[in-house]
Amino acid sequence: MATNILDVLRTKRDGGQLSEEQIEFFIDGYTTGTIADEQAAALCMAIVFRGMEPDELATWTRRMLDSGERLDLAGVGRPTVDKHSTGGVGDKISLPLVAVVAACGAAVPQLSGRGLGHTGGTLDKMESIPGWRASLSNEEVVDQLRTVGAVICAAGPDLAPADRKLYALRDVTGTVEAIPLIASSIMSKKLAEGTSALVLDVKFGSGAFLPEVERARQLATTMVGLGRSYDVRTVALLTAMDTPLGRAAGNALEVTESVEVLKGGGPADVVELTLALARAMLEQVGIDADPAAAIADGRALATWDAMVRAQGGDPDAPLPVAAHRRVVRAASSGHVTRLDARAVGIAAWTLGAGRSRKEDPVSAGAGVMCLRKPGDEVAAGEPLLELHADDEARFAAAEAALAGAVDIGPEPPPPSPLVLERID
Ligand code: URA
């Protein structure tokens, strides 16, 4: 009997497992437009409640991947490895990381997206560099990987087009937060890049997309399993996102902080996570090199400069600066015991660093500088946060977002690990 959409919907609604034929019918039909948005939304909602079995998810992911092209990186001449982060506030790690890992001899094809909501997008950050171009042809990607070893660019429309359509629908139908849908969405895009190995930075905590550690662990395990089933060497690190990474949240502010890391400075947490992910990436492709040495001797910074120039950017040009600044001061004296990542992300977004709709522009200079982080001492009246915006009218909403975001106590908070565990 021929498959039809109502049978597909009823199967999942009643807790059954979709057959290979039903999955192919749905993914192909939705991508080509023969299945309507309301039918696809109904299936996504049924998956939110009913979940998916591992072999069902593997078939679903394969069909999403097969909906478009897969990049052929065979001509790159170096082992290829990428990183994906589930996103966090101040998460600029991709910027220094691609340069460090490429400087150690691997090729990093970082095909990224623009930000939506309170976590910034890698392309938005890179686009604050004057002249830098996000859009590259496949030939340009391969060429740059061969010559420089690092590319950060926009994922083209032919990579996993089924996900493009489905993710946009999930975004407006309350169906993003289902582990099988998230895992297949991320992995179909990453597998389409053609990388031979992948390291996943799966975040938990208030600023993360899945705040509960158990859900983050489940997502990480699911994605590692999917990667392995495609012979892509995949590991995940579960990392904390309760407080912003580093001190900067905002596009140009984060580029500046990333370059500080490449120059051998920068905040300790950004350095720690960059090195932890770099080591995992190099290990995945069998390169025995010390990423810290690549920073210390200037190779990583030289690779960054070459990557930016290859895409039309000027790494020496001054970055955009917001027209206005406002300081948020400490209400009491003591140690900062909590600085809430989500509140800082929402404040940066409100100041103009992020967008609410895909079409919105972002302000390159807007954002938040965290002048004090958990563990730092502060006296009443001293600056805690510095808000940057092009439009002064945005400060009030950002200050409201930050109400209750900082706790100050008599003692510093107990230390907690940034990298909680590794999932192989
Ligand atoms: N990021 C993605 O790419 N897909 C999801 O479903 C969720 C986060």
Side-chain angles (χ1 to χ4, degrees), residues 125-320:
K125 300 174 214 256
M126 293 301 291
E127 280 175 339
S128 63
I129 301 170
W132 187 84
R133 174 167 68 94
S135 188
L136 298 184
S137 68
N138 290 353
E139 293 68 36
E140 286 174 317
V141 170
V142 172
D143 227 46
Q144 192 172 318
L145 287 173
R146 196 170 34 234
T147 52
V148 180
V151 170
I152 296 176
C153 70
D158 296 328
L159 287 194
D163 178 63
R164 196 169 288 261
K165 208 171 162 193
L166 212 50
Y167 193 18
L169 179 79
R170 289 167 54 216
D171 202 33
V172 294
T173 55
T175 54
V176 168
E177 290 88 353
I179 284 173
L181 293 177
I182 302 168
S184 56
S185 164
I186 293 174
M187 291 305 285
S188 62
K189 286 177 285 205
K190 285 287 142 180
L191 294 167
E193 275 180 7
T195 183
S196 71
L198 185 59
V199 174
L200 301 163
D201 179 4
V202 181
K203 302 207 175 283
F204 63 91
S206 78
F209 164 62
L210 296 178
E212 308 89 14
V213 69
E214 192 38 57
R215 297 254 298 153
R217 187 179 285 121
Q218 225 181 318
L219 176 63
T221 308
T222 307
M223 292 196 292
V224 167
L226 279 174
R228 295 278 166 91
S229 70
Y230 279 86
D231 290 330
V232 171
R233 291 182 294 279
T234 309
V235 296
L237 301 187
L238 272 191
T239 72
M241 183 30 72
D242 289 303
T243 202
L245 263 173
R247 296 195 179 272
N251 300 310
L253 297 172
E254 293 191 45
V255 173
T256 301
E257 193 167 77
S258 302
V259 173
E260 282 166 13
V261 169
L262 290 167
K263 288 182 172 164
D269 56 350
V270 179
V271 175
E272 180 187 340
L273 191 52
T274 302
L275 293 178
L277 288 164
R279 289 192 183 104
M281 289 168 76
L282 293 167
E283 185 194 308
Q284 290 295 93
V285 290
I287 294 179
D288 181 18
D290 177 8
I295 294 178
D297 64 17
R299 278 176 294 141
L301 183 63
T303 303
W304 165 264
D305 284 356
M307 176 181 78
V308 170
R309 284 189 206 286
Q311 291 175 237
D314 178 357
D316 302 319
L319 294 171

Side-chain angles (χ1 to χ4, degrees), residues 111-131:
L111 273 51
S112 304
R114 293 191 165 73
L116 200 59
H118 76 279
T119 63
T122 298
L123 296 184
D124 296 321
K125 300 174 214 256
M126 293 301 291
E127 280 175 339
S128 63
I129 301 170

